[in-house]
Amino acid sequence: MSRAPRDGPRDGQSEVPPPSSWGADAALEELYAAHWRSLVRLSTLLVGDPGTAEEVTQDAFVAMHGRWSRLREPDKALAYLRQSVVNRSRSVLRHRVVVDRQARRDAARPAPAAPGPEDLTLLDERRAQVLAALARLPRRQREVVSLRYYLDLPVAEVADLLGLAPGTVKSHASRGAAALRDSLAELMEHRDE
Amino acid sequence: MSDLGPRRDDALRQLIVDNVDSLEPADRLARIRARTGTAARRRRRRTWLLAPAAIAATLALAAGTTYLLASRDDPPPVASPHAVAQPPGIPWRALPVYYAGSPAQAGGEARLFREFRRGNGSDVVSEAVQAAVGERPQDPDYRTLWPAGTTASARVWDGESLRVVLGPPAGTRLQERPAGMTARAARLAVQQVVYTAQAAHGKGRVPVRLLVDGAEVERVLGVPAAEPLLNDPAAEVVSPVNVTTPEHGFVAGGTKLHVTGRTTEAVGAVVVEIVPASEPDRKPLVARRVAPTAGDGFGTFSATLAVRDLPDGDYTVRAVAARRPYEDSKQFSIRRAR
């Protein structure tokens, strides 16, 4: 069997031979193939629902395509995509807060449609618990934990991406992780391993 | 995170990764292209793309596409969401192709396994049935049951059913069962084509009419084929456990291996485990037990295994039904840069 050597961030799923000659379209396709899923999942951790996360990530890819002439390198483009996903996820949440406040004033608005428990598989249920626990964290902690724990980014890169000092990243990470361990204690005890 | 115990840290990390990695986002490449004014790009790096491992890897990577397609041939027929999934001009797509596995994988009985391969997208059903009868699968445990040299192409008939035209190898007619082929193998060979054509067509379990050299025939490989054929029930012909990703020859470079697959009927829990390729019988290095989510006839499972402690090398990842002798495995390697 023949094998091509591959390496990349996050479960080694990136396999992008980086020709410097990429145009914006080529970059879009290659980065989409390699990172669409993980970026949608990152955004899901931040905004709490996959549908919104797809919208957010789609916008980030469109923006990256528009900026390609300034990015020009896959690494820079990926950093841009990540930052764009984090920032856009943040705006969605801000927007939601405004909408909710309005809704409370209106008072007539029905509760957001949540699936009934009978619609949830066990997996969905567990995921909902994880996402709810993340949603309860302060924003910075949620962002740091998602980037560190899900994307596996080193402290320095997270610091760069969020514009924070490395020490601040570490303290957000440890507080966020402690809070999550607390609220997800039950799930962690019932893990299969 | 220096101030935390690394093991507690790993457990939390795994919990987050498992729960979010089981989400399969929809494929939005077409929408993004529409917004950027990007025409679907013809791939240029032919040599890179033609290497089988690269194809496998690309299929694993082309996330949305692969997973969208991966769910396409699941029964029952649904009002085809996939009809819009493939706008014209997309240069390639994943083809679902069914092959026979070794009897050891399914309690002593040969069954059909699905693997995805790369097609050029011009005529997916023809490409897929040709691969099923005439091309070697990527997974060395699989094989085609058709006589060497058989060819196949397909076309849609009446918009409702499929016609698959088989081309016999020189000197044969393909209508009688060849000497040495069991009746079970002949039936399974026919089902290889039926399942593949239905899956690639993506419009549910449509009838498939088999022709030989363009002519209607009474039998194909001795199996009655005067009427359009439907698929046999999955429980009778499809392997109860089928690994979808990683594909054979996948090269992992990171700290985790994401494994997905499919089960039929009530297989129950599946154990996903990694063993060294050279010592398949030793105690698994990593194992996880997962419960497939139920679907209509098929279930799907996914597991993320931590491979950060495994040295670079060749491994086998195996999915085994917890209570029955059904399994599927893929060889993969870990190669870390630097």
Side-chain angles (χ1 to χ4, degrees):
Chain A
M1 95 193 89
S2 70
R3 287 168 174 161
R6 311 172 54 217
D7 182 50
R10 180 126 186 77
D11 30 31
Q13 286 184 356
S14 163
E15 184 214 26
V16 184
S20 52
S21 59
W22 278 5
D25 295 353
L28 175 68
E29 303 237 350
E30 298 292 352
L31 289 163
Y32 179 92
H35 301 290
W36 168 252
R37 285 198 301 167
S38 64
L39 289 170
V40 171
R41 289 168 181 160
L42 170 68
S43 179
T44 304
L45 292 171
L46 300 177
V47 301
D49 84 278
T52 306
E54 284 173 13
E55 293 291 333
V56 161
T57 312
Q58 178 177 322
D59 289 348
F61 272 90
V62 172
M64 187 280 296
H65 182 270
R67 280 182 72 91
W68 176 252
S69 61
R70 271 165 287 173
L71 297 165
R72 301 190 71 85
E73 283 166 31
D75 282 358
K76 282 189 194 159
L78 178 58
Y80 175 81
L81 278 170
R82 285 178 183 147
Q83 187 149 38
S84 180
V85 164
V86 171
N87 290 343
R88 285 162 199 275
S89 300
R90 207 182 278 166
S91 332
V92 164
L93 291 181
R94 235 179 350 243
H95 177 70
R96 240 183 234 169
V97 171
V98 175
V99 171
D100 285 353
R101 210 180 289 140
Q102 183 64 40
R104 273 197 297 275
R105 276 200 291 272
D106 293 352
R109 190 167 174 263
E118 67 278 13
D119 297 334
L120 294 174
T121 65
L122 183 62
L123 186 70
D124 292 335
E125 212 172 290
R126 288 170 52 148
R127 186 187 305 129
Q129 283 183 51
V130 171
L131 293 177
L134 272 161
R136 285 194 293 270
L137 296 183
R139 172 174 63 79
R140 284 291 192 201
Q141 286 182 23
R142 179 168 56 247
E143 290 171 358
V144 168
V145 165
S146 302
L147 292 165
R148 286 284 285 137
Y149 282 72
Y150 181 64
L151 283 194
D152 247 349
L153 295 186
V155 169
E157 253 178 80
V158 177
D160 229 31
L161 201 153
L162 297 177
L164 299 172
T168 316
V169 168
K170 282 188 198 165
S171 69
H172 280 316
S174 68
R175 279 194 214 116
L180 284 182
R181 266 195 294 272
D182 230 29
S183 51
L184 297 174
E186 204 184 324
L187 277 188
M188 292 178 70
E189 276 165 23
H190 290 106
R191 284 170 48 73
D192 303 318
E193 282 183 333
Chain B
M1 268 144 270
S2 49
D3 49 340
L4 298 173
R7 292 190 56 185
R8 289 193 310 162
D9 227 32
D10 278 350
L12 180 59
R13 188 185 303 271
Q14 191 75 48
L15 183 70
I16 293 173
V17 167
D18 279 0
N19 280 286
V20 76
D21 268 1
S22 52
L23 276 174
E24 287 305 337
D27 182 6
R28 292 201 172 202
L29 183 56
R31 286 196 217 177
I32 294 171
R33 280 179 185 145
R35 288 176 57 192
T36 57
T38 309
R41 191 168 61 101
R42 283 265 157 214
R43 298 281 179 142
R44 289 184 202 91
R45 294 189 309 278
R46 291 283 173 207
T47 46
W48 173 68
L49 290 170
L50 288 172
I55 293 171
T58 310
L59 286 175
L61 283 174
T65 314
T66 302
Y67 284 93
L68 194 60
L69 291 166
S71 61
R72 291 172 51 157
D73 58 339
D74 295 351
V78 287
S80 60
H82 31 268
V84 294
Q86 195 68 23
I90 287 188
W92 64 270
R93 53 188 277 183
L95 304 175
V97 183
Y98 283 81
Y99 290 105
S102 85
Q105 292 174 286
E109 204 179 54
R111 293 291 189 113
L112 298 183
F113 289 75
R114 182 188 62 183
E115 76 175 20
F116 286 91
R117 53 198 297 143
R118 183 178 185 130
N120 67 28
S122 58
D123 180 355
V124 288
V125 186
S126 286
E127 283 185 81
V129 291
Q130 173 58 39
V133 303
E135 282 165 43
R136 212 166 54 174
Q138 295 155 37
D139 189 322
D141 294 333
Y142 303 168
R143 67 192 195 284
T144 182
L145 295 168
W146 287 82
T150 306
T151 61
S153 63
R155 61 201 154 103
V156 182
W157 194 252
D158 299 338
E160 294 286 308
S161 63
L162 293 164
R163 294 199 150 197
V164 173
V165 180
L166 297 158
T172 69
R173 300 199 313 147
L174 275 190
Q175 296 179 32
E176 301 79 30
R177 174 152 54 93
M181 180 185 268
T182 64
R184 160 90 189 164
R187 183 178 144 215
L188 212 53
V190 167
Q191 289 297 318
Q192 235 195 299
V193 171
V194 172
Y195 266 91
T196 300
Q198 290 176 336
H201 186 46
K203 302 270 168 73
R205 297 293 170 205
V206 300
V208 179
R209 180 76 208 252
L210 299 184
L211 294 89
V212 174
D213 269 342
E216 299 191 346
V217 289
E218 292 293 312
R219 290 173 179 274
V220 172
L221 300 179
V223 178
E227 301 289 326
L229 303 174
L230 283 173
N231 55 293
D232 286 347
E236 290 171 23
V237 293
V238 179
S239 167
V241 178
N242 194 163
V243 172
T244 305
T245 60
E247 303 203 359
H248 179 77
F250 181 80
V251 181
T255 56
K256 303 172 199 103
L257 181 75
H258 190 53
V259 183
T260 63
R262 195 170 73 155
T263 58
T264 59
E265 20 129 275
V267 164
V270 171
V271 177
V272 181
E273 56 191 27
I274 295 175
V275 291
S278 55
E279 300 171 82
D281 296 326
R282 69 166 272 182
K283 185 171 175 290
L285 302 164
V286 187
R288 279 183 68 73
R289 188 184 167 99
V290 292
T293 57
D296 294 302
F298 286 115
T300 57
F301 61 89
S302 82
T304 303
L305 304 181
V307 297
R308 69 178 68 217
D309 297 330
L310 303 185
D312 283 10
D314 297 339
Y315 296 91
T316 299
V317 59
R318 199 157 56 196
V320 188
R323 292 190 302 267
R324 314 279 292 274
Y326 304 139
E327 65 168 80
D328 190 16
S329 65
K330 302 288 169 190
Q331 293 212 9
F332 75 101
S333 306
I334 299 176
R335 302 264 186 274
R336 297 178 182 89
R338 291 179 292 275

